[in-house]
């Protein structure tokens, strides 16, 4: 399998955290015993570039690295900046050639300046959201999500939302099992919702606390069981009312909404990575019946379980 080439464009000044995320996560992908990605960092003016941390970072490759890349990812600065015209042109050419284009944080301004977000859903770091909306009114701003995919264009919010975006890309390319293995290896939260590339993706809000972390982990290991609010509260050692309040504070959703989301994600992973019949997948993911699995998956992705498996299965077909 040929390496998937990712060109990461570093603006000046660049957020070192933004720049580290793609190398960290894509670099951990192994497929058939070899690397799944080649990551190349480039910039309009090769040489030392400024960072938001006050250090200089040496980037030796210019924007010629964008040519032929399967994915072009524009890192951000974490603050307002004017997109470099050379970067805007390079990103526009990459999209016109059929490549996937993505951004982290303020990198969305480059995509917008290239016209790639016109008529599309997009997001950026929350402190920059209103300016992005004002400067580029033709886009549909989703200011309260971690990342958005609309066709072959992806945008994410700032900081750790770039992790969710990169895990989503890995899942799209190599499946849920590979993406979740990368997440475990990097000691970050499992991949959040994926789905068809023509649909806008709206993941769960970022988890903001650790009080319920043990209970979330326990629930993930027991998704095949008929868990109730009482079961979750008993494991956490608190009342149902307290659990609900703490869970919502940390996860942004109710315990049962979170649980349903995880059950659907488990079912999608099993559809991608196994040949199990639908009733067994429904049981293993805690969705109960094949009819229930079908209803939830159609509502979430627009695809029946059979269609989802046909589209996203990672199984090798025997000759």
């Amino acid at each position: 399998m040929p390496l998937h080439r990712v060109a990461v464009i570093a603006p000046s000044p660049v957020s070192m955290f933004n720049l580290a995320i793609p190398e960290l996560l894509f670099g951990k992908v192994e497929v058939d015993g070899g690397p799944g990605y080649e990551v190349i960092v480039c910039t309009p003016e090769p040489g030392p570039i400024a960072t938001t941390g006050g250090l200089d970072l040496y980037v030796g490759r210019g924007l010629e690295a964008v040519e032929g890349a399967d994915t072009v990812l524009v890192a951000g600065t974490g603050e307002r900046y004017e997109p470099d015209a050379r970067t805007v042109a390079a990103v526009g050419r990459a999209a016109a050639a059929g490549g996937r284009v993505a951004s982290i944080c303020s990198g969305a301004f480059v995509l917008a300046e290239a016209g790639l977000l016109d008529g599309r859903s997009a997001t950026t770091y929350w402190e920059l959201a209103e300016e992005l909306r004002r400067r580029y009114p033709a886009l549909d701003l989703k200011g309260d999500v971690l990342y958005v995919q609309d066709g072959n264009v992806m945008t994410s919010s700032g900081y750790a939302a770039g992790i969710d975006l990169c895990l989503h890309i890995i899942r799209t390319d190599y499946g849920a099992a590979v993406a979740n293995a990368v997440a475990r290896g990097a000691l970050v939260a499992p991949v959040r919702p994926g789905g068809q590339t023509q649909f806008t993706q709206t993941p769960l809000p970022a988890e903001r606390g650790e009080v319920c972390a043990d209970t979330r982990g326990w629930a993930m290991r027991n998704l095949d069981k008929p868990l109730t609010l009482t079961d979750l509260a008993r494991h956490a050692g608190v009342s149902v009312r307290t659990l609900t309040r703490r869970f919502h504070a940390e996860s942004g959703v109710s315990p049962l909404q979170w649980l349903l989301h995880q059950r659907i994600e488990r079912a999608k992973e099993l559809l991608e990575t196994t040949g199990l019949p639908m009733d067994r997948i429904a049981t293993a993911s805690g969705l109960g019946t094949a009819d229930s699995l079908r209803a939830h998956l159609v509502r979430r992705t627009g695809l029946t379980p059979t269609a989802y498996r046909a589209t996203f299965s990672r199984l090798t077909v025997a000759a």
Side-chain angles (χ1 to χ4, degrees):
M1 179 179 295
L3 285 177
H4 186 110
R5 187 179 179 194
V6 180
V8 181
I9 302 178
S12 182
V14 67
S15 163
M16 290 191 292
F17 185 58
N18 273 199
L19 205 55
I21 290 170
E23 178 64 34
L24 170 66
L25 297 179
F26 294 136
K28 287 187 175 294
V29 175
E30 290 190 4
V31 180
D32 297 329
Y37 293 94
E38 175 189 12
V39 180
I40 302 171
V41 179
C42 58
T43 193
E45 290 284 350
I49 66 170
T51 71
T52 54
L55 302 174
D56 283 345
L57 183 68
Y58 187 86
V59 178
R61 298 291 296 271
L63 293 176
E64 72 280 354
V66 172
E67 297 179 11
D70 300 290
T71 298
V72 177
L73 193 157
V74 184
T77 68
E79 58 190 33
R80 185 186 185 280
Y81 78 111
E82 293 296 328
D84 183 282
R86 295 164 294 181
T87 300
V88 172
V91 168
R93 288 193 298 270
R100 181 169 55 195
V101 179
S103 67
I104 300 176
C105 193
S106 57
F109 283 77
V110 173
L111 275 56
E113 187 68 19
L116 301 181
L117 301 184
D118 291 353
R120 295 182 187 271
S121 296
T123 193
T124 190
Y125 183 44
W126 66 271
E127 287 189 342
L128 302 171
E130 286 307 314
E131 182 176 356
L132 184 68
R133 189 201 307 271
R134 177 181 58 79
R135 290 175 59 175
Y136 306 100
L139 63 80
D140 178 18
L141 181 69
K142 305 294 185 184
D144 57 351
V145 298
L146 293 175
Y147 65 88
V148 174
Q149 175 172 349
D150 195 328
N152 68 335
V153 178
M154 306 179 184
T155 52
S156 78
S157 183
Y159 299 102
I163 296 174
D164 294 283
L165 175 67
C166 289
L167 288 173
H168 169 64
I169 290 173
I170 295 169
R171 175 172 185 158
T172 301
D173 293 339
Y174 293 111
V178 172
N180 287 335
V182 170
R184 288 192 297 270
L187 300 179
V188 297
V191 61
R192 298 177 194 272
Q196 296 190 96
T197 57
Q198 64 266 37
F199 291 135
T200 296
Q201 310 300 327
T202 305
L204 289 178
E207 293 172 359
R208 297 182 292 272
E210 298 298 330
V211 175
C212 295
D214 286 346
T215 297
R216 288 195 296 268
W218 173 77
M220 289 290 290
R221 295 189 296 273
N222 291 276
L223 288 177
D224 59 325
K225 298 179 175 60
L227 301 177
T228 65
L229 271 176
T230 301
D231 295 328
L232 295 172
R234 184 181 298 115
H235 182 274
V238 297
S239 67
V240 169
R241 182 176 180 181
T242 298
L243 173 82
T244 301
R245 185 183 71 252
R246 290 179 179 175
F247 214 100
H248 196 281
E250 293 187 9
S251 301
V253 293
S254 73
L256 293 183
Q257 286 174 319
W258 178 89
L259 191 59
L260 177 60
H261 171 82
Q262 302 302 337
R263 292 191 191 284
I264 295 171
E265 288 302 297
R266 176 64 56 79
K268 288 162 67 177
E269 180 173 349
L270 291 172
L271 285 168
E272 292 179 25
T273 60
T274 76
L276 291 172
M278 300 307 170
D279 56 346
R280 289 187 59 189
I281 289 178
T283 300
S285 59
L287 291 173
T289 66
D291 287 342
S292 177
L293 167 64
R294 178 188 175 90
H296 284 298
L297 200 66
V298 168
R299 189 177 301 116
R300 178 65 59 86
T301 70
L303 293 174
T304 65
T306 300
Y308 186 92
R309 171 175 274 166
T311 302
F312 296 106
S313 176
R314 307 291 166 172
L315 297 178
T316 300
V317 178

